[in-house]
Amino acid sequence: TLPFAFFYNSDIRDWRESGHLQAQVDLARRTGVHIYSMSFRTPRTQPAGIETNWAWCDQYIDAFIELDPKAVFLLRIYAGPNWSWNVWKDIKPDHLVLYADGSRGRVSIASPYFHKPTDEDLARIVRHYEASPYGERILAYEVGGPNIEMFHDLYRVKGPDYSPMNQACFRKWLAGKYDSDQALRTAWGDPEETLAA
């Protein structure tokens, strides 16, 4: 069974020059696969007065079209603020990832500090590409977290986020999923559990 889409890891060093791109896209094209997914790096959270270099972004799409003129895309977009974001200094500790060992990471994906620039950047990216010649080739925008899979930095090394922001979001989700303490207790198999706890 042919895969629905071919994913190419454009996060690797020398992603275009290594020769892997041409060989792998050629194989996909020859077997009838023309849907490509790749990590799509876009300039995010631009400082005021700095214009986005869309040509830098377009190189990813162009590399595939050059090898497969029928190429269409699922763009995996990195969400959240990057190093150029000018609000880092304003973030309160409760909005940063809190690991079980007590250390802190970057902004929590549960924080509005993460959501606001993510929403703004995604809207800007979609508006730009839907109005561009590439728009007809883009099937979907796959939005991921800081590590493209909605995991925060160091998740695999240090574990989940125990920050107040993430706990509040989890409690809100629980309240939406289970309408009572009894429903939660039944689902979790714990007669003592409560939504408040």
Side-chain angles (χ1 to χ4, degrees):
T1 302
L2 287 176
F4 172 70
F6 173 73
F7 171 74
Y8 184 79
N9 187 2
S10 53
D11 281 340
I12 60 173
R13 200 172 80 180
D14 302 325
W15 66 273
R16 192 172 186 173
E17 288 77 27
S18 67
H20 297 300
L21 177 70
Q22 181 169 351
Q24 293 178 20
V25 169
D26 186 55
L27 181 60
R29 179 186 51 76
R30 285 187 291 116
T31 55
V33 175
H34 302 287
I35 301 174
Y36 299 95
S37 172
M38 78 277 205
S39 299
F40 190 63
R41 295 278 184 181
T42 56
R44 296 168 291 146
T45 55
Q46 292 293 312
I50 303 296
E51 190 172 325
T52 299
N53 182 356
W54 294 108
W56 184 86
C57 305
D58 297 347
Q59 69 173 326
Y60 291 101
I61 298 173
D62 289 338
F64 286 84
I65 294 172
E66 184 180 314
L67 297 169
D68 181 357
K70 294 182 180 178
V72 293
F73 302 95
L74 304 171
L75 299 182
R76 299 178 69 182
I77 297 173
Y78 285 81
N82 65 10
W83 62 270
S84 67
W85 192 40
N86 61 3
V87 184
W88 283 117
K89 65 186 181 314
D90 300 327
I91 298 176
K92 306 291 187 279
D94 284 357
H95 291 262
L96 300 175
V97 171
L98 175 63
Y99 298 108
D101 66 5
S103 64
R104 295 221 177 250
R106 294 178 57 151
V107 64
S108 171
I109 62 175
S111 169
Y113 283 111
F114 182 89
H115 293 181
K116 186 174 186 299
T118 296
D119 292 348
E120 291 169 353
D121 286 343
L122 183 59
R124 183 173 52 87
I125 291 164
V126 171
R127 274 194 308 269
H128 171 80
Y129 277 105
E130 290 304 303
S132 79
Y134 298 108
E136 64 187 18
R137 291 182 179 266
I138 298 172
L139 301 179
Y141 301 87
E142 180 184 351
V143 183
N147 294 321
I148 206 60
E149 296 168 338
M150 288 313 282
F151 296 121
H152 55 265
D153 296 329
L154 300 180
Y155 172 80
R156 290 179 179 91
V157 177
K158 299 185 95 173
D161 175 11
Y162 293 97
S163 70
M165 281 289 111
N166 207 37
Q167 288 185 43
C169 277
F170 184 57
R171 285 191 179 103
K172 184 177 179 182
W173 178 84
L174 287 172
K177 178 147 180 82
Y178 307 107
D179 59 358
S180 67
D181 287 343
Q182 188 54 50
L184 176 70
R185 291 171 181 154
T186 300
W188 285 27
D190 184 343
E192 304 298 321
E193 197 57 83
T194 66
L195 289 167

